[in-house]
């Protein structure tokens, strides 16, 4: 090691806060041995006692409250925070979360591991910027929105709240999740998200780009999935995009792996042959910390040491990653505790009164009034007796990334407390059947008790013991016991299917294992071990209480009914499990209809992590309300909204589709071609993106543009006046969209560019101003490989939602028309198509580049390149690869203007990454501009092509 200078005070330079950060980091880095630096690449970085360096662990979960560390304030789920459309609120929520995380860091022992492994991390693995493309995604609750502009704005606000406002020190360090295009759980470690360049640049990257460019994120986490055939943990986009955006801010991003993902590169993905090779590739691609093998650092570090010994990485690769970690640790105040402005935060902030008030406010601001024909707000004078009915009538649930709620106020409890001063009365009915299951073999009751059954959809139900309220649970020895008071485990063992097996007879099947309950005839022991229905026990089902009949009776004797339905966040739609559809659980739908039949004055409250198809409710009920799972203050906040003491301040952050609307395939990430989100989905939704009603009315007038035309580098100021024309104060989310007219590309139907949330008193009007740079009209020009603002006509739209346009003004962009695509004498990437049929995007090499291949080698696949200038072209060259081993020829056909101009035979190269150049002369020289199509026949890959001219 080289000699290291000491500061004038006799301390090492890294201990001198007067020195620049980079100098301090470099000083400490150079003092570390190679073994010490290697050890820092694991999630659990050990202490370096000789230098007084503490242990360090990456990652605490802080999505909507401090998670997994104990009792903490629980705020609405991320999708609920997104529904608030309130950046200041989101920033304040994140600030509260970060102060509580600071308190845990300094004042509570680590939740896992031993104290010498490091305190609870101040690196917060939040926010999640993955877009809510598909509402069936199991982790829908973790994202903010289906729109990249909205997601980026909310995500930036959350990062600012986590980071604090000190110029040198961080309160906590936000890490953006999950890079990139992660929106499915089923087989998530082996599925590939196909992103054509327009979707990549305009949609998926667009959620991350502004947040990183704003300098408010300190890091990112790579996603489990593959993108275009290449695992995200070795994606060139980490360096080419993420870190490129960060460089102007002067900060480095510290990029971490997701749990076990580095090992996945070899094990389920089989992308590399051995772990040393895969870990080396991840490190060189930009992964700085390996979250792998839990606290087993030696395994991971051993793989990296082997990679170093084999020459797959060098010390410079190790140093680059460690330098980023050290920079973050300095900014978190680890080496300057006396200067850290956040070091004095004490444990009293956890679940403090201020955070409780904020949590209640956040629920109200994120609650969306979907429909209201006048039933809401409820008037205690007219409806003194209210029946609160449903499986979530007075029950709150935590999700996987929730903290532990310090207390719970459900809807019935909240309404009861709010009505008490008015002399009102609440009748609470869960509406579930109570049954007994009696063995046909022994005659014994299962568990020696009866059970309350709740339908959570897809045939999955929970059974709670009537005497204790505990859930029936599959035990480790395959036995059954009702011994769980809550469901919160990675593997949910508390869901069962009651499968009909004759008159009043059912089979009991555990969802987790798929096996059936069986009874040993010798000792009567019940085990869940039967593999088939034939081996399963037959249970006599005895109905002890008819849940729907009880609910009907309660509703009929009340003045109004509030039916609270929704999902359990750990059942049917959660991490590792997507939903199959968007249907409301059958039992819940039946309960709702029964209540509405008995009491037409029924409001549906949906408390869910994701949208449901609620077509019947919208058509037949006077009021429908949605809120995410909102945490401990849900009941107080919803009561205030239902009674009109608070405004339903939320607007939908994603489209709610109709039940009969056939959604695209879950793995079709091409939002343009598939028709995902409000931007491209053409069928009328049940409730559109941005939708939400108020208890007052708002009028829009005087939409003005500062100029009627703008050049590509200019900007236009937009003003509009919004007035509260109703009888009470209210909040409105004013949404600004743009629309391209007669575009040369498939443009979005509408695209959000800005929004403002305003609160107005009755009769109050306010002029709102927006700045609209022309660059917000840009699309990704596949021919140029860059964003471009096309000249022509556009519309500026002020709207209440994506389907409710209030005012529209035309805007013209001036400039020369785009030239035709140049293809002669120029290499054209195959992936830069304008349209496609039957194509899958794959990796050109393990390190970089994209290629295309037929989705089904038995069917032709076509690429379309519009307005290609083919003047002078006499021959074509194509870069192809073909593994071989399959029968049949492979051929590339080229058509211009509808006629075949060349046919190119594709040879076997022996490997999917073994590329060769194939050539063919054109049937005749070409001139002019034509739509060019390439058709792939057979099992080969195409990465690029070019046309040559004569001479």
């Amino acid at each position: 090691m080289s000699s290291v200078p000491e500061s004038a005070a006799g301390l090492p330079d890294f201990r001198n806060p007067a020195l620049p950060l980079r100098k301090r980091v470099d000083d400490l880095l150079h003092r570390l041995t190679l073994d010490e630096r290697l050890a820092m690449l694991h999630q659990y970085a050990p202490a370096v006692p000789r230098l007084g360096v503490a242990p360090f662990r990456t990652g605490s979960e802080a999505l909507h409250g401090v998670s997994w560390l104990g009792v903490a304030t629980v705020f609405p789920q991320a999708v609920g925070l997104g529904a608030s459309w309130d950046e200041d609120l989101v920033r304040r929520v994140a600030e509260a979360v970060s102060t509580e995380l600071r308190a845990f860091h300094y004042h509570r022992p680590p939740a896992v591991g031993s104290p010498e492994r490091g305190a609870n991390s101040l690196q917060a693995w939040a926010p999640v910027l993955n877009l809510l493309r598909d509402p069936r995604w199991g982790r829908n609750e973790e994202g903010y929105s289906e729109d990249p502009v909205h997601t980026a704005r909310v995500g930036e606000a959350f990062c600012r709240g986590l980071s604090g406002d000190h110029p040198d020190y961080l309160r906590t360090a936000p890490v953006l999740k999950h890079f990139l295009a992660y929106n499915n759980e089923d087989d998530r470690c082996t599925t590939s998200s196909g992103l054509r360049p327009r979707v990549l640049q305009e949609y998926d990257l667009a959620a991350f780009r502004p947040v990183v460019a704003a300098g408010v994120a300190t890091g990112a986490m790579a996603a489990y999935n593959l993108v275009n055939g290449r695992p995200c943990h070795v994606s060139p986009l980490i360096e080419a995009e993420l870190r490129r955006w960060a460089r102007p801010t002067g900060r480095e991003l510290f990029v971490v792996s997701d749990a076990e993902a580095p090992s996945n590169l070899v094990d389920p993905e089989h992308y590399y042959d051995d772990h040393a090779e895969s870990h080396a590739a991840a490190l060189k691609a930009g992964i700085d910390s390996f979250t792998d093998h839990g606290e087993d650092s030696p395994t991971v570090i051993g793989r990296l040491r082997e990679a170093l010994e084999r020459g797959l990485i060098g010390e410079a690769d190790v140093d680059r990653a460690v330098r980023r970690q050290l920079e973050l640790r300095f900014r978190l105040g680890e080496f300057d505790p006396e200067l850290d402005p956040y070091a004095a935060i004490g444990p009293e902030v956890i679940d403090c009164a201020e955070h409780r008030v904020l949590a209640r406010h956040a629920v109200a601001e994120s609650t969306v009034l979907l429909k209201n024909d006048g039933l809401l707000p409820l008037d205690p004078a007219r409806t003194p007796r209210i029946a609160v009915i449903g499986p979530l009538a007075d029950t709150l649930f935590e999700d996987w990334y929730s903290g532990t709620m310090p207390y719970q106020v459900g809807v019935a409890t909240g309404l009861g407390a709010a009505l008490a001063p008015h002399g009102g009365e609440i009748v609470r009915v869960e509406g579930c059947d109570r049954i007994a299951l009696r063995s046909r073999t022994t005659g014994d009751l299962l568990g020696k008790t009866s059970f309350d059954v709740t339908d959570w959809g897809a045939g999955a139900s929970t059974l709670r013991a009537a005497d204790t309220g505990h859930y029936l649970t599959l035990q480790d020895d395959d036995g059954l016991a009702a011994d769980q008071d809550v469901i919160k485990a990675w593997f949910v063992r508390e869901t069962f299917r009651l499968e009909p097996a004759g008159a009043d007879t059912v089979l009991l099947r555990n969802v987790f294992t798929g096996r059936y309950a069986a009874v040993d005839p010798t000792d009567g022991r019940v085990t869940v071990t039967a593999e088939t229905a034939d081996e399963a026990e037959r249970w006599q089902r005895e109905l002890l209480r008819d849940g729907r009949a009880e609910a009907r009776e309660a509703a009929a004797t009340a003045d109004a009914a509030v039916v609270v339905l929704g999902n359990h966040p750990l059942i049917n739609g959660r991490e590792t499990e997507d939903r199959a559809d968007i249907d409301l659980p059958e039992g819940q739908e039946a309960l709702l209809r029964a209540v509405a039949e008995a009491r037409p004055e029924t409001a549906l409250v949906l408390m869910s992590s994701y949208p449901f198809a609620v077509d019947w409710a919208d058509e037949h009920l006077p009021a429908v309300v949605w809120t995410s799972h909102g945490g401990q203050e849900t009941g107080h906040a919803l009561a205030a909204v239902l009674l009109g003491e608070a405004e339903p301040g939320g607007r939908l952050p994603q489209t709610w589709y109709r039940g009969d609307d056939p959604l695209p395939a879950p793995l079709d990430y091409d939002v343009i071609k598939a028709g995902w989100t409000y931007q491209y989905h053409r069928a009328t939704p049940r409730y559109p993106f941005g939708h939400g009603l108020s208890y007052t009315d708002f009028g829009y007038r005087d939409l003005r543009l500062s100029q009627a035309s703008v050049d590509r580098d200019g900007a236009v100021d937009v003003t509009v006046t919004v007035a509260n024309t109703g009888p009470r104060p209210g909040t409105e989310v004013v949404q600004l969209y743009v629309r391209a007219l007669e575009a040369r590309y498939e443009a979005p139907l509408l695209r959000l560019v800005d929004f403002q949330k305003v609160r107005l008193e009755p009769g109050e009007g306010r002029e709102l101003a927006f700045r609209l740079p022309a660059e917000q009209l840009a699309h990704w020009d596949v021919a140029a490989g860059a964003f471009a603002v096309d000249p022509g006509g556009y519309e500026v739209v002020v709207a209440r939602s994506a389907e409710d346009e209030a005012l529209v003004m035309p805007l013209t962009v001036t400039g020369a028309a785009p030239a035709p695509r140049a293809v002669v004498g120029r290499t054209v990437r195959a992936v830069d198509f304008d349209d496609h049929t039957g194509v899958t995007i794959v990796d050109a090499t393990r390190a970089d580049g994209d290629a295309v291949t037929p989705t089904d080698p038995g069917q032709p696949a076509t690429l379309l390149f519009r307005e290609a200038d083919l003047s002078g072209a006499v021959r074509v060259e194509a870069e192809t690869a073909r593994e071989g081993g399959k029968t049949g020829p492979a051929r590339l056909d080229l058509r211009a203007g509808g006629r075949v101009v060349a046919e190119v035979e594709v040879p076997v190269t022996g490997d999917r990454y073994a590329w060769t150049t194939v050539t063919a002369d054109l049937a005749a020289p070409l001139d002019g501009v034509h739509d060019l199509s390439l058709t792939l026949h057979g099992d080969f890959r195409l990465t690029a092509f070019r046309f040559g001219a004569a001479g």
Side-chain angles (χ1 to χ4, degrees):
M1 301 290 291
S2 61
S3 61
V4 181
E6 303 293 323
S7 71
L11 295 174
D13 280 355
F14 79 88
R15 292 289 184 185
N16 185 354
L19 294 176
L21 176 61
R22 180 55 60 92
K23 185 175 180 64
R24 299 180 71 189
V25 169
D26 285 345
D27 177 69
L28 178 53
L29 181 69
H30 294 150
R31 292 174 185 273
L32 297 168
T33 67
L34 177 58
D35 283 346
E36 289 167 343
R37 282 175 278 147
L38 274 171
M40 286 185 173
L41 298 181
H42 189 243
Q43 179 186 20
Y44 290 88
V48 184
R50 67 183 184 85
L51 295 175
V53 176
F56 178 78
R57 178 171 66 85
T58 64
S60 292
E61 300 294 351
L63 186 60
H64 58 112
V66 176
S67 304
W68 306 356
L69 300 183
V71 170
T73 308
V74 177
F75 296 94
Q77 293 174 310
V79 69
L81 295 177
S84 76
W85 293 63
D86 189 330
E87 293 158 278
D88 180 65
L89 170 65
V90 170
R91 180 194 57 77
R92 287 188 288 133
V93 167
E95 181 177 326
V97 173
S98 67
T99 59
E100 294 197 10
L101 183 55
R102 271 276 175 167
F104 276 104
H105 177 74
Y106 284 117
H107 303 287
R108 302 285 177 89
V112 294
S114 52
E116 63 268 18
R117 298 294 278 172
N120 298 305
S121 179
L122 290 177
Q123 186 192 57
W125 284 354
V128 171
L129 298 187
N130 298 113
L131 295 162
L132 305 183
R133 169 192 62 98
D134 185 345
R136 297 167 298 191
W137 183 31
R139 299 178 78 170
N140 190 88
E141 69 213 34
E142 297 183 39
Y144 292 127
S145 162
E146 69 182 34
D147 179 81
V149 168
H150 178 276
T151 293
R153 290 266 293 271
V154 177
E156 180 178 336
F158 200 85
C159 285
R160 290 189 185 279
L162 288 177
S163 299
D165 52 11
H166 195 279
D168 299 318
Y169 295 97
L170 298 162
R171 189 162 46 229
T172 58
V175 172
L176 309 178
K177 295 164 56 173
H178 310 79
F179 193 77
L180 183 70
Y182 171 38
N183 196 221
N184 66 277
E185 293 304 296
D186 295 345
D187 302 319
R188 62 181 178 172
C189 294
T190 56
T191 57
S192 178
S193 307
L195 300 184
R196 58 198 279 193
R198 275 198 61 201
V199 175
L200 172 69
Q201 296 290 343
E202 296 176 22
Y203 192 66
D204 287 282
L205 289 181
F208 287 84
R209 188 186 299 116
V211 183
V212 175
V216 296
T218 66
M221 176 186 285
Y224 279 120
N225 55 288
L226 298 80
V227 169
N228 296 349
R230 183 182 297 106
C232 288
H233 280 71
V234 291
S235 173
L237 295 172
I238 294 173
E239 295 291 339
E241 298 288 355
L242 266 179
R243 288 207 164 99
R244 177 173 63 84
W245 306 330
R247 288 187 193 110
T249 70
R251 300 292 191 186
E252 281 277 6
L253 289 182
F254 181 51
V255 179
V256 302
S257 81
D258 209 337
E260 310 307 316
S263 290
N264 291 346
L265 292 167
V266 172
D267 299 329
E269 292 168 353
H270 307 297
Y271 202 71
Y272 295 97
D273 293 332
D274 63 72
H275 291 293
E277 182 185 13
S278 67
H279 283 40
L283 184 67
K284 293 179 79 69
I287 300 297
D288 301 316
S289 178
F290 289 73
T291 312
D292 205 349
H293 278 254
E295 297 186 37
D296 176 15
S297 296
T299 295
V300 175
I301 300 309
R303 293 168 176 176
L304 289 163
R305 183 175 287 106
E306 180 186 345
L308 191 66
E309 293 167 351
R310 289 166 55 182
L312 301 174
I313 55 174
E315 283 194 49
D317 298 307
V318 176
D319 290 353
R320 185 171 56 248
V322 173
R323 181 178 283 108
R324 291 169 181 149
Q325 180 189 127
L326 293 178
E327 178 180 306
L328 182 68
R329 293 171 67 172
F330 273 96
R331 294 181 67 199
L332 285 169
E334 177 180 332
F335 301 100
D336 307 320
E338 71 285 354
L339 298 178
D340 181 357
Y342 306 113
I345 294 174
E348 68 276 1
V349 303
I350 298 173
D351 185 37
C352 64
E354 180 183 355
H355 291 177
R356 292 183 176 191
V357 171
L358 180 61
R360 184 185 301 194
H361 179 60
V363 175
E365 287 300 309
S366 62
T367 297
V368 184
L369 182 59
L370 297 173
K371 179 187 177 180
N372 188 25
D373 287 345
L375 177 63
L376 299 180
L378 296 169
D379 182 352
R382 292 189 295 108
T383 57
R385 181 180 172 88
I386 301 175
V388 185
I389 298 168
L392 287 88
D394 212 28
T395 301
L396 304 181
F397 293 120
E398 297 168 355
D399 61 47
W400 185 245
Y401 292 99
S402 291
T404 300
M405 287 186 277
Y407 57 90
Q408 298 187 21
V409 181
V411 178
T413 298
L415 268 174
L419 284 174
H422 304 281
E425 179 186 3
I426 288 294
V427 180
R428 176 191 175 276
V429 174
E430 196 170 2
C432 62
D433 288 345
R434 177 166 292 176
I435 66 171
L437 296 176
R438 189 176 300 278
S439 168
R440 297 288 292 271
T441 299
T442 65
D444 295 335
L445 281 180
L446 177 64
K448 296 182 171 57
T449 185
S450 56
F451 295 97
D452 294 335
V453 183
T454 302
D455 176 14
W456 297 111
S461 297
T462 52
L463 286 75
R464 284 181 294 110
D467 52 353
T468 65
H470 289 170
Y471 290 97
L472 184 68
T473 303
L474 176 67
Q475 306 295 299
D476 290 340
D477 63 356
D478 292 324
L480 289 173
D483 62 355
Q484 296 296 311
D485 58 346
V486 296
I487 298 174
K488 195 171 183 182
W490 183 253
F491 298 112
V492 175
R493 298 167 173 262
E494 289 80 21
T495 52
F496 297 86
R497 304 188 197 283
L498 296 168
E499 299 181 359
D504 298 324
T505 304
V506 296
L507 310 179
L508 184 66
R509 189 176 192 180
N510 183 259
V511 173
F512 175 65
T513 65
R515 293 193 288 268
Y516 295 89
V519 174
D520 188 322
T522 59
D523 60 11
R525 184 169 183 263
V526 180
T527 58
V528 184
T529 54
E531 298 288 348
T532 67
D534 291 340
E535 301 168 330
E537 175 65 12
R538 269 60 180 165
W539 302 91
Q540 188 72 36
R541 180 184 183 276
E542 302 174 23
L543 181 62
L544 305 179
R545 183 187 67 202
D546 186 325
R548 288 203 293 274
E550 185 182 39
R552 278 195 299 267
E553 181 180 355
T557 60
D559 301 297
V562 175
V563 181
V564 191
L565 307 177
N567 77 304
H568 190 301
L570 295 182
I571 301 172
N572 290 334
R574 51 155 291 169
E575 188 168 358
T576 73
E577 179 188 353
D578 294 317
R579 287 191 294 166
D581 53 48
I582 59 174
D583 295 342
L584 199 63
E586 183 178 347
Q588 295 190 30
E589 179 86 23
L591 175 65
L592 177 65
R593 297 190 186 198
V595 171
E597 181 181 8
R599 173 53 57 199
E601 296 82 9
T602 292
L604 168 62
V605 173
L606 284 164
M607 191 185 304
S608 68
S609 308
Y610 38 65
F612 280 112
V614 288
D615 301 332
W616 185 91
D618 183 73
E619 293 167 6
H620 295 87
L621 297 184
V624 182
V625 175
W626 173 75
T627 182
S628 72
H629 294 278
Q632 68 233 35
E633 284 288 335
T634 297
H636 283 144
L638 276 177
V641 170
L642 293 173
L643 296 173
E645 297 167 3
E647 177 80 358
R651 302 294 184 267
L652 288 181
Q654 60 188 134
T655 304
W656 283 46
Y657 299 100
R658 295 176 182 270
D660 59 357
D661 188 349
L663 297 182
L667 292 181
D668 193 341
Y669 277 76
D670 189 343
V671 296
I672 300 172
K673 186 82 171 177
W676 278 117
T677 82
Y678 77 94
Q679 293 192 26
Y680 294 100
H681 197 76
R682 296 190 176 276
T684 302
R686 174 55 62 187
Y687 302 119
F689 172 80
H691 171 72
L693 304 177
S694 172
Y695 288 150
T696 190
D697 299 310
F698 296 94
Y700 290 73
R701 66 175 188 271
D702 299 334
L703 174 60
R704 296 189 301 274
L705 308 184
S706 60
Q707 54 201 61
S709 62
V710 64
D711 63 33
R712 293 167 173 150
D713 299 320
V716 61
D717 293 316
V718 181
T719 57
V720 64
T721 297
V722 183
N724 183 345
T725 60
R728 53 177 288 156
T731 56
E732 175 73 319
V733 177
V734 181
Q735 302 161 42
L736 187 69
Y737 296 87
V738 294
R739 177 188 291 120
L741 305 176
E742 300 179 355
R744 63 189 171 107
Y745 56 95
E746 189 173 352
L749 303 171
L750 209 61
R751 186 171 62 186
L752 183 74
V753 292
D754 208 342
F755 60 88
Q756 292 186 43
K757 188 171 187 176
V758 293
R759 180 173 177 82
L760 300 172
E761 295 297 319
E764 180 185 3
R766 189 178 305 172
E767 184 178 84
L768 304 181
F770 300 89
R771 182 72 168 172
L772 177 59
E775 66 183 18
Q776 290 187 286
L777 305 173
H779 73 285
W780 183 259
D781 187 336
V782 289
F787 279 103
V789 181
D790 281 3
Y794 295 81
E795 287 181 337
V796 177
V797 181
V798 173
R800 301 176 182 88
S801 76
E803 293 282 329
D804 189 355
E805 300 178 10
L807 298 169
V808 180
M809 286 286 284
L811 176 66
T812 300
V813 175
T814 59
R821 183 197 287 253
V823 297
V824 177
R826 176 179 298 186
T827 298
V828 179
R829 298 193 314 162
V831 76
D832 285 330
F833 49 76
D834 290 296
D835 201 358
H836 66 99
T837 303
V839 164
T840 294
I841 305 175
V842 293
D843 51 337
T845 71
R846 285 190 177 88
D848 201 5
D850 294 323
V852 300
T853 192
T855 302
D856 179 357
Q859 299 294 324
T862 300
L863 309 174
L864 176 64
F865 302 82
R866 296 193 180 98
E867 297 184 354
D869 186 352
L870 294 166
S871 299
V874 298
R875 64 181 177 275
V876 66
E877 300 175 352
E879 303 299 325
T880 63
R882 187 182 181 202
E883 289 184 82
K886 298 180 181 179
T887 59
R891 187 180 80 250
L892 175 66
D893 292 347
L894 293 90
R895 288 179 171 80
R899 63 187 179 92
V900 176
V901 297
E903 295 181 350
V904 186
E905 298 298 323
V906 178
V908 171
T909 61
D911 187 87
R912 60 183 178 177
Y913 301 131
W915 294 94
T916 190
T917 302
V918 294
T919 63
D921 292 331
L922 303 186
L926 292 174
D927 281 306
V929 176
H930 304 274
D931 285 349
L932 173 69
S933 65
L934 278 65
T935 302
L936 289 70
H937 301 271
D939 57 327
F940 72 97
R941 296 179 170 207
L942 172 70
T943 189
F945 65 92
R946 68 190 66 83
F947 285 92

